[in-house]
């Protein structure tokens, strides 16, 4: 069933006050709510629904507004629910006409809505943020023709992985699942497994690596015994075999993987899609998450530096080999032909499409570099503080959304939240300019 969309009316209520009568209609959030094309978002997100009978979903403006507010103000789902109840501006932005004293949605509705929309549909929020920027003169459409592209790491909410911790955690998860399903084990190794992990950590800290390796072998032995015990007890029981197939597969990978092996490894049991990525940072040699491509405008627009594209890149590809997919996606998103792409030296040997092969300029390039392009190379580093803001203030610094789809969704929503935050600052500045101009005219008016 399709959602019942809300439309603004002038209805009055004897026992409740209208929000437009108790809030400042010149507030930046109010002006942003009036500038966003909610009809475009309703049409885009409404495509995932059908006309089949059932309970109608929540209104699109409510769920879209919550997604924007969450990543604009760096709020968790729980904090967003708390803020929404007590903030009339949040409620007005989400389409409410009267102040609500209780939540009109459930916290889990946010998760289900994100999963239902997916990365492709949520790109409409990033697209709309750029459209609002052009409508409010925060950015000119011509600014989108020249972009700076770079990659960063979006870390996952996982602890730093070590072989000993992974082995012990895999055993604990299997033992916990057997207790839940009523499967009796010969031995759980709960006490001696924890003791072996503590000894390994102490020996490794003291650089007593022979003793540490001995404790590591014990942990491998305990995990292997539990795996074999479970496999013997679920033979012939299809229901149990189906419940244990994924945990046993992950535990087997953890047991068999070596320290220096090539190819994919398991770094987290609750998020096996996590990858180990090294970006050459002295303070953080390795990060565990997914690589993300970020693009911003070369020109510093009137409203600031806007993000024009953001996408997760699973598999840790070489930076230069990402342009083959990033450039077509960016052109489809902004509806403009890219005239020039500025990148760092990590994009040498790129695989950009043929019609853009000579429009990509990498740092250190000498041929085909005009004085204007040299000046634009000085703007390449402007993307670094944008990435810093995405991580620090818009939830890209630690991704709490599950699965690979959560990585892709969080990257797009973080970019949209960053753009909407820039728009709020721009609308406040416009209002301040109007107030200053009005005060000057009243002062200069003859008495």
């Amino acid at each position: 069933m399709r959602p019942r969309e809300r439309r603004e009316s002038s209805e009055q209520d004897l026992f409740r006050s209208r929000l437009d009568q108790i809030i400042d209609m010149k507030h930046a959030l109010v002006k942003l709510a009036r500038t966003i094309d909610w009809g475009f978002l309703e049409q885009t997100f409404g495509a995932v629904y059908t006309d089949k009978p059932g309970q109608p979903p929540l209104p699109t403006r409510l769920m879209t507004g919550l997604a924007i507010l969450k990543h604009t103000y760096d709020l968790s789902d729980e904090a967003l629910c708390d803020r929404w109840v007590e903030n009339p501006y949040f409620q007005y932005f989400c389409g409410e006409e009267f102040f609500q004293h209780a939540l009109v949605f459930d916290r889990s509705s946010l998760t289900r809505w994100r999963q239902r929309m997916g990365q492709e549909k949520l790109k409409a929020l990033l697209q709309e943020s750029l459209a609002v920027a052009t409508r409010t003169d925060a950015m000119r459409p011509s600014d989108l023709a020249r972009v700076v592209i770079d990659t960063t790491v979006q870390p996952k909410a996982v602890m730093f992985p070590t072989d000993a911790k992974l082995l012990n955690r895999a055993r604990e998860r299997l033992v916990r699942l057997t207790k839940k399903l009523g499967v009796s084990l010969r031995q759980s190794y709960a006490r001696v497994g924890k003791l072996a992990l503590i000894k390994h950590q102490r020996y490794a800290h003291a650089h007593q690596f022979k003793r540490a390796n001995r404790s590591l072998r014990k942990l491998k032995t305990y995990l292997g015994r539990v795996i074999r015990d479970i496999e013997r007890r679920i033979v012939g029981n299809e229901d149990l075999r189906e419940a244990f197939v994924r945990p046993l597969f992950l535990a087997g990978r953890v047991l068999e993987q070596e320290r220096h092996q090539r190819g994919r490894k398991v770094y987290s049991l609750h998020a096996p899609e996590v990858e180990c990525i090294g970006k050459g940072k002295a303070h953080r040699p390795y990060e565990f998450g997914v690589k993300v491509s970020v693009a911003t405008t070369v020109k510093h627009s009137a409203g600031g530096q806007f993000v024009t594209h953001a996408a997760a890149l699973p598999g840790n590809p070489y930076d230069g080999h990402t342009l083959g997919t990033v450039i077509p996606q960016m052109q489809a998103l902004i509806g403009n032909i890219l005239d020039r792409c500025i990148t760092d030296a990590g994009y040498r040997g790129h695989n950009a499409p043929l019609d853009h092969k000579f429009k990509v300029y990498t740092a250190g390039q000498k041929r085909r570099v005009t004085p204007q392009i040299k000046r634009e190379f000085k703007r390449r580093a402007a993307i670094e503080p944008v990435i810093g803001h995405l991580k620090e203030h818009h939830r890209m610094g630690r991704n709490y959304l599950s699965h690979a789809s959560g990585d892709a969704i969080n990257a797009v929503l973080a970019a949209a939240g960053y753009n909407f935050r820039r728009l709020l600052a721009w609308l406040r500045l416009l209002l301040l300019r109007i107030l200053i101009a009005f005060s000057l005219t009243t002062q200069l008016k003859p008495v």
Side-chain angles (χ1 to χ4, degrees), residues 278-345:
K279 298 291 283 185
K281 300 176 183 177
H283 66 288
R284 197 174 296 164
Y286 299 103
E287 295 177 279
F288 300 92
V290 66
K291 184 176 283 191
V292 173
S293 173
V294 179
T296 66
T297 55
V298 172
K299 180 179 173 58
H300 188 280
S301 306
Q305 199 89 6
F306 287 92
V307 176
T308 60
H309 182 262
L313 305 169
N316 191 14
Y318 169 63
D319 288 359
H321 294 166
T322 63
L323 295 181
T325 57
V326 167
I327 289 179
Q329 289 178 6
M330 198 185 315
Q331 290 189 150
L333 180 69
I334 65 179
N336 198 356
I337 302 297
L338 293 179
D339 182 42
R340 192 172 295 156
C341 301
I342 307 296
T343 63
D344 60 13

Side-chain angles (χ1 to χ4, degrees), residues 126-407:
L126 183 56
Q127 189 175 6
E128 181 60 21
S129 68
L130 297 174
V132 173
T134 56
R135 285 199 292 268
T136 57
D137 296 327
M139 178 182 62
R140 293 185 298 180
S142 59
D143 295 345
L144 296 170
R146 297 178 180 178
V147 297
V148 181
I149 304 176
D150 199 2
T151 60
T152 186
V153 179
Q154 179 179 252
K156 198 82 168 182
V158 299
M159 63 180 179
F160 190 88
T162 61
D163 292 338
K165 283 194 290 188
L166 283 172
L167 291 166
N168 189 61
R169 181 60 59 88
R171 181 194 57 77
E172 288 178 343
R173 286 167 64 96
L174 288 175
V175 171
R176 193 182 309 127
L177 186 58
T178 57
K179 290 182 179 179
K180 180 179 179 182
L181 298 177
V183 178
S184 60
L185 295 177
R186 189 178 64 177
Q187 188 173 351
S188 66
Y189 303 96
R191 183 179 59 82
V192 293
K194 183 178 180 180
L195 183 61
L197 176 63
I198 293 173
K199 284 185 176 182
H200 175 273
Q201 292 173 335
R202 288 177 176 174
Y203 292 146
H205 179 71
H207 288 202
Q208 299 175 4
F209 295 114
K210 286 186 178 180
R211 291 178 173 177
N213 289 333
R214 195 179 306 131
S215 298
L216 185 64
R217 287 195 297 270
K218 282 186 180 180
L219 289 169
K220 284 189 174 183
T221 302
Y222 298 154
L223 176 59
R225 287 178 180 176
V226 170
I227 290 175
R228 291 189 294 273
D229 196 5
I230 293 174
E231 288 175 344
R232 285 192 296 267
R233 295 179 185 276
I234 64 175
V235 172
N237 192 328
E238 284 299 318
D239 294 336
L240 286 178
R241 192 189 66 81
E242 195 172 324
F244 277 102
V245 61
R246 179 175 172 80
L248 285 176
F249 173 72
L250 288 176
R253 285 182 60 186
V254 170
L255 183 62
E256 294 171 3
Q257 66 188 13
E258 298 294 335
R259 181 179 179 184
H260 296 292
Q261 76 175 35
R262 298 184 64 85
R264 294 293 301 273
K265 293 179 66 177
V266 176
Y267 297 101
S268 174
L269 291 166
H270 78 272
E273 69 276 3
V274 166
E275 298 154 2
C276 179
I277 303 172
K279 298 291 283 185
K281 300 176 183 177
H283 66 288
R284 197 174 296 164
Y286 299 103
E287 295 177 279
F288 300 92
V290 66
K291 184 176 283 191
V292 173
S293 173
V294 179
T296 66
T297 55
V298 172
K299 180 179 173 58
H300 188 280
S301 306
Q305 199 89 6
F306 287 92
V307 176
T308 60
H309 182 262
L313 305 169
N316 191 14
Y318 169 63
D319 288 359
H321 294 166
T322 63
L323 295 181
T325 57
V326 167
I327 289 179
Q329 289 178 6
M330 198 185 315
Q331 290 189 150
L333 180 69
I334 65 179
N336 198 356
I337 302 297
L338 293 179
D339 182 42
R340 192 172 295 156
C341 301
I342 307 296
T343 63
D344 60 13
Y347 283 82
R348 289 178 183 172
H350 57 77
N351 65 341
L354 291 177
D355 51 344
H356 289 86
K357 196 168 186 64
F358 298 104
K359 296 180 181 179
V360 178
Y361 296 87
T362 59
Q365 183 174 332
K366 302 299 181 184
R367 295 182 178 180
R368 302 181 293 108
V369 177
T370 63
Q372 183 182 7
I373 297 174
K374 286 183 179 179
R375 290 193 295 271
E376 290 179 353
F377 270 137
K378 296 180 180 179
R379 291 284 308 159
R380 192 214 65 78
I383 195 173
E384 302 299 341
V386 173
I387 292 174
H389 284 298
L390 286 171
K391 290 189 172 186
E392 187 69 22
H393 304 296
H394 302 283
R395 306 189 69 77
M396 193 184 279
R398 194 168 178 85
N399 176 28
Y400 294 91
L401 305 185
S402 59
H403 309 303
S405 60
D407 295 334

